[in-house]
Amino acid sequence: MKSMDQEVRKELTPLKLRAKAAKFAKATVKTQMESFKRFGVWADWNNPYLTLDPEYEAAQIEYPEGHISRSIYAIFKLVGGVKTSLLEEFMPNICLAVWTTTPWTIPANAAVAVNAKLQYSVVEVQSSSEDESASTSNKKKMVGTVLKNQQKLFVIVATDLVPALEAKWGVKLIITKTFLGSYLEGFRYTHPVDKRDCPVVIGGDYITTESGTGLVHTAPGHGQEDYATGLKYGLPIVSPVDDGGNFSEEAGQFRGLSVLGEGNIAVVSYLDENMSLLMEESYAHKYPYDWRTKKPTIFRATEQWFASVEGFRKATMEAINNVKWIPHQAVNRITAMTSSRSDWCISRQRTWGVPIPVFYHVQTKEPLMNEETVDHGSDAWWYMSVEDLLPEKYRDKAADYEKGTDTMDVWFDSGSSWAGVLGKREGLTFPADVYLEGTDQHRGWFQSSLLTSIATKGKAPYSSVITHGFVLDEKDYTGDVLVGPQILRQMSDIYRKLRGTLRYLLGNLHDWRVDNAVPYQDLPIIDQHALFQLENVVKNIKECYENYQFFKIFQIIQRFTIVDLSNFYFDIAKDRLYTGGTSSFTRRSCQTVLSTHLLSILRVIAPIVPHLAEDVWQNLPFEYRNGDGSAAKFVFELKWPTLNEQWLSFPAEDILFWERLLELRTEVNKVLELARNGKLIGSSLEAKVYLHTPDAGMASKLLKMCEAQNEADTLQRIFITSQVELLSSIEKEMVSNVQHTGEYGEGENKVWIGVSRAEGSKCERCWNYSGQVGSFSDHPTLCGRCFNVIVANPPQPAVAAVIS
C-alpha cells in the first residue's frame, strides 16, 4: 500500500502542497499494487512516454483523418464450458470469431465478450474459389492460412453479421444453430498465444452488430471497456508493454518488439502460422493521436497514484453552491463532474513537471514517502542521487531504494496555485474574487483548485467563476465564439463606426474648454435628454461589467453610438455646431453634451478596446482632471464615471414624450423619402412638415417645441427641415395641396403628417429655406440667424507676412 497519512487541513507551503501530492481532508493517497491500476494513454513523447488520466486530459487527444490500422479477423478454439452439450456436436472444430484493429493486444487477451441480448449463430465455413488475396475496393486484404487449407471449420458470429462476413471473407457461411449470447457465458477457449484457458463473458452495450463479428476480444490491460468487464469477472489485468512502447518479458516471444511496428506484424504472422487468422485487412478509421507529437497512442494499464475525494465530497458540493457561477448554468456542469467523482489520478509519466518525491524499495517495491522525506529535498529530485535525497535516518539504506519517476498531474500543480498567490502577496486575499477560464475547465482547473482548497482550507478558493467560450472557425455550428473573414469584416465595420463616433466628438471639441460648460438647468431639453440617455447607458454597462456580461456591453455600445448618437443626436447637432457662432449658446450647450459623452464613452470602452481608448485620450483637445484634481496621463488613470442622479431624474412624462417624438421622427423621415422619390424635394431642408393630432397633450408639447426659444429644441431642427407647422385642424383644401402624407400612431394618439416644399429662399450659409433671405441689404443671401452670426462675428482681415 502506497499511502500518505497526513494531518487534515494543515497549513502547507506552495512547494509542499504540490510535492506532497494531495494533503486532502480525511483522504489518503491510495495506490494498492493490485487494486489501484488505472487506465492511461501512452503516447510517443520526448522519453517518449506519457500516461494520461482520460477523465482530465481527453482534450489532449485528437482524431485526425487518414489513419490506417491492420485489422484482423481471428479465431479462438472452444474447449468446452458449463453448457457443453449446446455445442458438443461441433467439437473440436468450433471457434469464436473476433475482430480487432489492434492485433498487438492479442497477447494480453483475457476473455471474449458477447452481448447477452444479441442472436449468435454457429456457421459452417465452406470455401470459395474467389482469390481474396487481391486488393478489393482499394483496401488490401490477405486471406489467412486457415481459410486456404479448406479444413472443416465452424465459427460463432452474430447472426445479423453473417451476410456481411460471407461477402468480406469470400466464403459460404451456412447457419447451423442459433441462440442468445447469454448461452455462451461460461464457455472456455484456448488462448491463441500462451494456450491457457480463457472464459467467454457478458460485455456491455458496446458490443453491437455495426462492425466486426459481434464477439469482442477483451484485453483488460489495454481498453477502458475491457477493463470494466475485467473488474466484473475478476480477469487478470495483463499489460505486457513497457515504458518504451515495446513488448515486455510478459509477452514471451514478442518481447522487445515495438507494439505499433514490428510487434504488430509479428503477432499477425504468428496467428496465421498457427491457423488462427481468417483475414487481415487495412482499415481506415478514427484513432486517438497525441495532440502535440501527432503520433498514435497506446492504451495500457499502469500503476498510478490516486487521491480519494470521498472524505470531503459533501463539503465540496456545499462550497459549489456558495460560489457565483457565470453563466449560472455552469453550476450544473461542475456539480455533475464533481458529485460522481471518487478518485483523482494525480500521477503522470512525463519527463518534465513537478516530481512525486517517492522512493521504492528495489525488491519489494514498497513506497517510502513521508513528511520527513518530502521536506528533505523534493525540489532537487531530478539531479541529486538517492543517497543525497534521503534524510539521514534512511541514508544507510540508500542502496535498497530507487527514485520514482512519476510526475504530478499538471492539474494538481495549477490547481494549487492559489496557495502560492492568495494571501501571500500584498492586496491579494483568500479567496480570489473571480476565476476566469474556458468551458473545459470544469473538469480541470476549476475543479482541481476547488478540491485542493476544500481539502486544506475548508472553502472554495474563489467567490465567483466565469466561464467563457472558445474561438472557432465560422463554419462551425456550435455556440462558442465564431471567427472568420465574414465575421471579421462585420466586427471591423462596427469598430470603424465606433472610431468614427469618437473622431466626430474629438473634431467638434477642438476649441472646447471645461469652463465653457453650460449648467445643466440651462441646457436645451434635447441636451438634457441626451445626458439622460448617456447616464442610463453608463449605468447599464456598469451592471454588465459587474456581472461579467461583456457581450451585452458590446451590444449597448453599438446601439448607443449608432442609433442614439450617429443617427439622431449627431445628425441634428451638425446645424448648430457648424452654423452657430463659435461662442453661441446652442453651440456651447452641444459641446457640453459632447464632451461629457466623450469622457464617459472612453471610460466604459477602455477595458474592451484599450488601444482605441488610449489613442483618443492622447489626442484629447482639452485638459481634464479627476474629481480630486489629479491629472490623468493615461486613460486607465481616469476614475469610473460617477452616476449623476440629476441627469437620471429626467421627468417620466418627458421620457415618454421623447420616445414618441423619436418614433414620430422616423415616420416623418418616411414621408420625406416619399417626397424625395416624387421629385418634390431633394434635401430634407427643402421641405416643410405639417403635423396634426387630436391628442391635446401631445399637441401642446409639439406646439411648445415649435415655439422654442432656443434653436436646439425646435421641431424643424429635430426633423432637419426648414419649417414645421402644427395644424389645429385639417381642412380638405389644405390636405389637397399637400402632395405627400403619412400617419404615426392610432386612434386618439394618431398624428397626421404632411410634406410640401419649404417656403422662402435658400440661405447660402446654412442651406435652410427662409422668408428672411433677401431682406438684409448687406447680406442678401443670408437668413436671419446667419445674418446675426456674421454681424456678431465679422471676418478678420488677412495679415500678409513680410519676407525679408
Side-chain angles (χ1 to χ4, degrees):
M1 165 78 93
K2 301 177 184 177
S3 66
M4 291 190 301
D5 297 320
Q6 305 290 352
E7 181 181 349
V8 175
R9 293 181 186 164
K10 181 178 179 182
E11 189 69 30
L12 300 175
T13 65
L15 177 60
K16 290 179 181 178
L17 185 60
R18 295 196 305 269
K20 290 186 178 179
K23 211 169 190 181
F24 286 167
K26 301 180 182 179
T28 59
V29 178
K30 58 185 183 66
T31 51
Q32 281 184 305
M33 301 301 287
E34 295 299 325
S35 65
F36 80 110
K37 288 179 179 287
R38 174 83 171 242
F39 277 101
V41 180
W42 177 90
D44 193 352
W45 199 287
N46 299 329
N47 195 34
Y49 325 113
L50 172 69
T51 301
L52 302 175
D53 177 0
E55 181 178 3
Y56 269 91
E57 306 205 37
Q60 297 197 19
I61 298 300
E62 60 186 16
Y63 295 82
E65 299 289 342
H67 179 85
I68 305 295
S69 291
R70 297 172 65 107
S71 72
I72 62 170
Y73 292 88
I75 53 175
F76 300 163
K77 191 170 184 178
L78 276 180
V79 293
V82 294
K83 307 184 188 76
T84 304
S85 59
L86 176 69
L87 303 175
E88 189 173 11
E89 61 185 289
F90 305 107
M91 298 292 184
N93 301 316
I94 185 169
C95 301
L96 304 170
V98 299
W99 175 72
T100 180
T101 60
T102 55
W104 61 269
T105 61
I106 293 295
N109 174 268
V112 169
V114 296
N115 188 324
K117 300 177 183 179
L118 287 180
Q119 291 281 346
Y120 291 85
S121 294
V122 176
V123 296
E124 182 178 357
V125 181
Q126 296 184 355
S127 62
S128 172
S129 60
E130 183 180 353
D131 182 6
E132 284 297 327
S133 63
S135 296
T136 304
S137 301
N138 295 323
K139 292 183 178 180
K140 294 182 178 180
K141 295 182 179 180
M142 183 192 76
V143 175
T145 304
V146 68
L147 290 182
K148 294 178 182 178
N149 286 353
Q150 300 184 6
Q151 296 178 347
K152 188 170 186 179
L153 178 66
F154 296 94
V155 298
I156 298 176
V157 297
T159 307
D160 291 345
L161 287 168
V162 170
L165 294 173
E166 190 176 59
K168 184 175 289 292
W169 296 346
V171 296
K172 184 68 176 177
L173 299 179
I174 307 298
I175 296 178
T176 59
K177 180 168 285 190
T178 299
F179 43 82
L180 284 174
S182 57
Y183 285 105
L184 290 174
E185 185 179 25
F187 271 88
R188 315 284 298 179
Y189 66 90
T190 300
H191 192 283
V193 177
D194 58 24
K195 309 308 178 186
R196 55 187 166 81
D197 276 4
C198 298
V200 177
V201 298
I202 302 299
D205 293 336
Y206 62 89
I207 303 175
T208 68
T209 56
E210 293 180 2
S211 60
T213 65
L215 296 93
V216 175
H217 142 62
T218 300
H222 293 297
Q224 190 169 4
E225 292 167 333
D226 293 19
Y227 178 73
T229 300
L231 290 180
K232 176 182 176 182
Y233 284 91
L235 301 176
I237 310 296
V238 181
S239 183
V241 180
D242 64 19
D243 290 345
N246 302 318
F247 279 121
S248 64
E249 292 293 330
E250 288 182 280
Q253 61 187 298
F254 305 115
R255 64 183 177 275
L257 299 178
S258 170
V259 298
L260 292 182
E262 296 175 345
N264 214 23
I265 297 172
V267 171
V268 175
S269 297
Y270 177 87
L271 293 176
D272 193 32
E273 292 167 2
N274 288 272
M275 306 296 287
S276 295
L277 183 70
L278 293 172
M279 174 178 288
E280 178 189 1
E281 179 183 25
S282 296
Y283 183 71
H285 65 128
K286 300 286 188 181
Y287 190 87
Y289 277 62
D290 171 54
W291 69 284
R292 284 193 183 180
T293 63
K294 310 301 180 184
K295 294 183 179 181
T297 60
I298 296 173
F299 289 86
R300 63 172 189 153
T302 57
E303 294 180 346
Q304 305 292 340
W305 284 89
F306 283 80
S308 174
V309 298
E310 289 283 357
F312 57 94
R313 181 186 289 107
K314 182 179 179 181
T316 302
M317 302 310 296
E318 291 175 353
I320 289 175
N321 293 327
N322 292 326
V323 172
K324 182 179 181 180
W325 299 90
I326 304 166
H328 181 69
Q329 57 266 30
V331 68
N332 300 326
R333 185 176 177 86
I334 188 71
T335 297
M337 290 185 171
T338 307
S339 62
S340 60
R341 185 170 202 168
S342 58
D343 295 324
W344 177 3
C345 181
I346 61 172
S347 55
R348 295 292 182 270
Q349 288 66 58
R350 294 190 178 99
T351 57
W352 52 269
V354 176
I356 295 179
V358 59
F359 301 93
Y360 297 102
H361 194 277
V362 175
Q363 299 299 326
T364 66
K365 302 302 179 184
E366 280 296 309
L368 171 62
M369 181 166 62
N370 53 43
E371 192 162 353
E372 186 176 3
T373 63
V374 170
D375 286 343
H376 187 68
S378 60
D379 56 339
W381 190 257
W382 296 122
Y383 61 85
M384 291 181 68
S385 66
V386 172
E387 185 176 2
D388 291 333
L389 287 168
L390 281 171
E392 185 66 33
K393 65 182 291 186
Y394 296 104
R395 197 157 293 169
D396 60 336
K397 300 178 181 179
D400 295 334
Y401 287 93
E402 59 185 5
K403 289 189 293 184
T405 58
D406 290 352
T407 58
M408 189 71 68
D409 171 22
V410 292
W411 293 121
F412 191 92
D413 198 25
S414 63
S416 59
S417 59
W418 56 265
V421 178
L422 303 179
K424 305 294 183 181
R425 302 180 185 179
E426 185 178 354
L428 299 180
T429 58
F430 179 91
D433 292 329
V434 64
Y435 268 41
L436 169 65
E437 250 292 357
T439 54
D440 59 331
Q441 297 306 313
H442 293 99
R443 66 179 182 184
W445 186 47
F446 294 155
Q447 187 175 156
S448 63
S449 299
L450 179 66
L451 294 176
T452 57
S453 184
I454 293 295
T456 58
K457 290 285 191 179
K459 62 186 299 185
Y462 37 67
S463 299
S464 57
V465 173
I466 304 172
T467 305
H468 63 71
F470 296 97
V471 178
L472 306 174
D473 187 291
E474 67 179 339
K475 296 179 182 178
D476 202 301
Y477 58 85
T478 70
D480 289 309
V481 179
L482 308 183
V483 67
Q486 181 61 30
I487 292 173
L488 290 176
R489 280 193 294 270
Q490 293 173 356
M491 292 299 103
S492 177
D493 289 343
I494 295 171
Y495 173 82
R496 281 198 296 269
K497 289 177 180 177
L498 174 57
R499 188 178 180 88
T501 297
L502 295 170
R503 290 183 64 187
Y504 178 96
L505 290 169
L506 286 174
N508 285 287
L509 292 170
H510 69 93
D511 61 342
W512 171 252
R513 296 295 177 267
V514 175
D515 55 7
N516 292 337
V518 175
Y520 175 80
Q521 61 273 15
D522 296 334
L523 290 174
I525 298 299
I526 187 174
D527 292 339
Q528 292 184 7
H529 180 258
L531 292 177
F532 165 75
Q533 288 184 306
L534 173 65
E535 283 303 281
N536 273 289
V537 165
V538 172
K539 180 181 178 182
N540 292 336
I541 288 178
K542 183 175 184 290
E543 292 175 354
C544 291
Y545 272 122
E546 290 173 346
N547 294 305
Y548 308 106
Q549 296 175 316
F550 306 116
F551 68 96
K552 287 188 177 181
I553 297 172
F554 159 76
Q555 294 170 354
I556 294 171
I557 286 291
Q558 180 187 8
R559 186 192 183 283
F560 181 61
T561 57
I562 294 175
V563 178
D564 296 329
L565 293 182
S566 295
N567 293 351
F568 177 62
Y569 190 80
F570 289 175
D571 200 24
I572 296 171
K574 292 174 185 176
D575 181 79
R576 53 173 162 153
L577 285 171
Y578 302 162
T579 63
T582 56
S583 59
S584 67
F585 168 79
T586 54
R587 187 169 191 272
R588 290 294 189 226
S589 67
C590 185
Q591 287 183 313
T592 300
V593 173
L594 295 184
S595 63
T596 305
H597 275 69
L598 178 61
L599 293 171
S600 294
I601 292 174
L602 282 184
R603 289 157 160 159
V604 299
I605 68 170
I608 298 176
V609 279
H611 295 291
L612 175 59
E614 184 61 33
D615 188 19
V616 174
W617 183 252
Q618 295 304 323
N619 288 278
L620 197 69
F622 56 89
E623 184 183 38
Y624 175 80
R625 292 183 176 273
N626 287 312
D628 58 4
S630 62
K633 184 177 180 181
F634 305 106
V635 71
F636 280 106
E637 293 181 355
L638 288 170
K639 305 299 182 182
W640 186 266
T642 302
L643 289 181
N644 190 307
E645 296 298 333
Q646 183 182 25
W647 298 353
L648 285 173
S649 62
F650 196 70
E653 60 176 320
D654 288 340
I655 295 174
L656 179 60
F657 169 72
W658 275 89
E659 289 176 357
R660 295 186 64 189
L661 181 61
L662 293 175
E663 292 173 356
L664 173 61
R665 183 175 183 268
T666 299
E667 296 304 317
V668 167
N669 285 336
K670 291 179 181 179
V671 181
L672 290 172
E673 187 62 25
L674 291 176
R676 187 177 293 109
N677 292 335
K679 308 300 181 182
L680 176 66
I681 62 172
S683 165
S684 62
L685 291 176
E686 297 176 8
K688 178 178 181 179
V689 172
Y690 298 92
L691 301 174
H692 170 72
T693 177
D695 183 343
M698 183 69 168
S700 175
K701 288 183 177 293
L702 291 176
L703 181 60
K704 182 179 179 181
M705 295 193 71
C706 286
E707 299 173 349
Q709 296 300 308
N710 63 77
E711 287 281 340
D713 286 338
T714 59
L715 283 180
Q716 68 191 65
R717 304 304 178 208
I718 291 175
F719 294 158
I720 314 181
T721 58
S722 288
Q723 293 110 30
V724 174
E725 182 179 346
L726 187 67
L727 303 177
S728 57
S729 62
I730 304 178
E731 301 177 357
K732 291 185 178 180
E733 182 179 352
M734 171 64 189
V735 174
S736 64
N737 292 329
V738 177
Q739 296 181 6
H740 300 282
T741 63
E743 291 181 348
Y744 161 69
E746 298 178 350
E748 291 296 320
N749 295 323
K750 184 169 64 176
V751 179
W752 176 85
I753 305 166
V755 171
S756 67
R757 284 283 301 183
E759 300 168 354
S761 301
K762 181 179 180 180
C763 175
E764 186 178 51
R765 184 171 180 272
C766 68
W767 293 11
N768 279 259
Y769 282 73
S770 171
Q772 294 177 318
V773 175
S775 61
F776 307 105
S777 57
D778 291 343
H779 300 283
T781 60
L782 300 182
C783 66
R785 180 181 61 166
C786 290
F787 175 78
N788 292 332
V789 171
I790 294 299
V791 170
N793 301 276
Q796 299 297 316
V799 178
V802 177
I803 301 176
S804 59

